[in-house]
Amino acid sequence: MSDHTPVLIVGAGPVGLALAGDLGWRDISCTLIEKTDGSIEQPKMDIVGPRTMEFCRRWGIADWVRDAPYPGDYPQDCVYVTSLDGYELGRERFPGRAQEKCPPQSPQKRERVPQDMFDPILQRFVAGFPHVRLAYRTELVGFVETANGVTALVLDTATGATREITADYLVGTDGGASVARERAGITMSGNPALTYTTNVLFRCADFPALHDKGKAYRFIFIGPEGTWLTIVAINGGDRFRMSIVGSADKVTHSEADIRAALRRAVGRDFDYEILSVMRWVRRELVADSYGTERLFIAGDAAHLMSPTGGFGMNTGIQDAVDLGWKLAATIQGWAGSSLLRSYETERRPVAVRNVTEASSNLGRMLSTRQRLPPPEIFQTSAAGDAARADYGRWFSETMRHEWFTLGFHLGYRYDGSPTIVPDGTPAPPLPTSSYVQTARPGARAPHAWLPDGRSTLDLYGRGFVLLRLGRDAPGGERITGAAAEAGVPLEVIALDVAQVSELYQCRLVLVRPDGHVAWRADAEPADARALIELVRGARYCGSLRQSQRGGRP
Ligand SMILES: Cc1cc2nc3c(=O)[nH]c(=O)nc-3n(C[C@H](O)[C@H](O)[C@H](O)COP(=O)(O)OP(=O)(O)OC[C@H]3O[C@@H](n4cnc5c(N)ncnc54)[C@H](O)[C@@H]3O)c2cc1C
C-alpha cells in the first residue's frame, strides 16, 4: 500500500523547507522528503534578504532568525585589497547586523544568517506542524504523473528499500540537479558555465589578528591579473569561506592550489584547518517551464544564478510563497482552474531578471580583469597612493550595484499576471538599488506602520484582504458577497491612516494571500463577481480589465 499526501515536496533545502512551512501554516498537509540526513557540509547562502524576512515575520519566526548566533556586532564591511598584508583599495562600510536599521519601506531588514543556522530555523518551523511530515534519507528516484496526481517512487537511503508515495501535487525543490525537473523533461536556457569555482571552508582561531584590515564580512582580492579570490566570514567567529573565483575555463584546483591561494591572500603561512572543499560551476540558467498540471519546480531546480547579489535562495523562497497559497487554494477548493498556472507567469520573469542581475554583478566583480590594475597600485610610493585611490574609487563605485539591491528584493512585480487586474496607471520602471513603494496591482503591498504598532504587512497572509481606506471608503459589500459565493476567504479591514491612504492611492485595495496587490479602485466594480473570478484564477473577464481605473490622478 502506498502513502498518500496532498503535496509531496522533494528536497529539504531552504526552499523546500519554506514551502512545507508555508503549507503547514496554511493548514495544508504535506510530506517533505530529503535524500541526505539534513546535515550541511558547507553552508552556501548567508544573506536572508528583507522580503524573506517579511515572510519569516508573517510565519512568526523573524525573531528566531534575528536571534541566530551570528554575532550582531561583527562588521559587515566589504573590503577590496591587494592582499591582507598589502594595500586596501576601497571599502563599503556596513554595521554589524544588530546595528543595521530596517529600511523605511519594510518592518524587517536583511539578516546575515548562514545556511547552517537558517535551515535549522526553518526545520523547527516545519516541525511545529503535526500535519507536515519531514522524512530524511528519503530520495525521489522516479515518478509517474496522471490526470489526478503523481505516484512517486522513493528510496530509503539507509536501508535501500523503496516504496511509493501518491500525491495530488509534487513540487521539486531538489536543487540544481533536480530529478523532478529532469524526469518531467523540463529544459533550462542560459549559460551553463560562467566560472569553475572552488569554495573552501576553513577554520582559523583568530583570522582578524593575522592582518591590519580589521573584521569584515567579505574581502575581495585584486592581483595583477584582476579579481582572483574572495574570503567571507561565515559565522562571524572562527569559520571562513575562501572562493578561488576561477573563470569559464575548466580547472580543478588541487589542495596545493588551495594552500597556495590562502598563503598568497594572507601574505604568509598561518594555522588553519580545511573543513570542506566544494568545487562548483557557476551557472546562469532558468527553466523553460515551471511545471505541468500536477508537478512544479521551485528554487534552484527552476533557476541557477551566480551568488553575487545573494538572490538565489531569496528568489526560491519567493517562489515557495507564490506557490504555497495557490496550492492551498486549489486543495481547499476555492481556486479557479488556472490559478496554479499563474505560478510560472508570475515567477519565471522574476527569475530571469535576478539571474541576469547576478551575472551582471559577477561581471562587475571581475571587471578588474578587463581594466587591469596599474602596476603602481602594488608599490609603496606617492604614485602608488594616487593610483590606489583612483582605482579603488572606480572599483568601489562599480561594486555598489551588488551591495544595494533593495529594488530586487522588494520591488519585483507580477504586472502581466492573468490573476492581477491592471488599473490603467503606467508601470513604473522596475527598481534596482533603490525602491519606491507602489500599490499598483501586481506589486508587493506597501509597508506602513499603523497606530497600534503593527505594520500593514501584518494584515496579510491567510486569505484575501479588502482594505477600505479613508473615512469615505465604500463598504465593499459587493466584493465580499462575491467572495463568499465563490468560497474565497476574504477579510475586510477599514483603516483611516493618512500614510496608508497616501501609499495605496485608492479607497479600495484587494491584497492577495501572498501580500501582493490584486486590484485597486475608488469604487466597487459593477460586476464584483468578475473581479473575484479573475483573482482566484477562474473566468477571465475582459470588461473588468478595461473598465477598472486605479490610482487617483
Ligand atoms: C557560495 C554560495 C553562496 C550563496 N549565497 C547566497 C545568499 O547569500 N543568499 C541567497 O539567497 N542565495 C545564496 N546562494 C544560493 C543558495 O544557496 C541557493 O539558491 C539555495 O540553496 C537554493 O535552495 P534550494 O532549496 O532550492 O536548493 P538546495 O539548497 O540545493 O537544496 C536541494 C535539496 O534537495 C535535496 N535533493 C536533491 N535531489 C533529491 C532527491 N532526488 N530526493 C530527495 N532530496 C533531494 C538535496 O540533498 C538538497 O538538500 C549561494 C550559493 C552559493 C554557491
Side-chain angles (χ1 to χ4, degrees), residues 10-16 33-36 44-47 115 138-140 173-175 179 199 241 278 280 298-300 307 310-314:
V10 181
V15 175
I33 60 169
E34 164 59 45
K35 69 178 178 183
T36 69
K44 292 187 287 179
M45 56 65 53
D46 57 24
I47 192 80
Q115 192 178 1
T138 306
E139 179 173 0
L140 177 80
T173 51
D174 46 347
V179 171
N199 281 7
R241 182 179 63 223
M278 182 174 92
W280 59 288
D300 275 19
F311 299 136
M313 176 202 72
N314 291 299

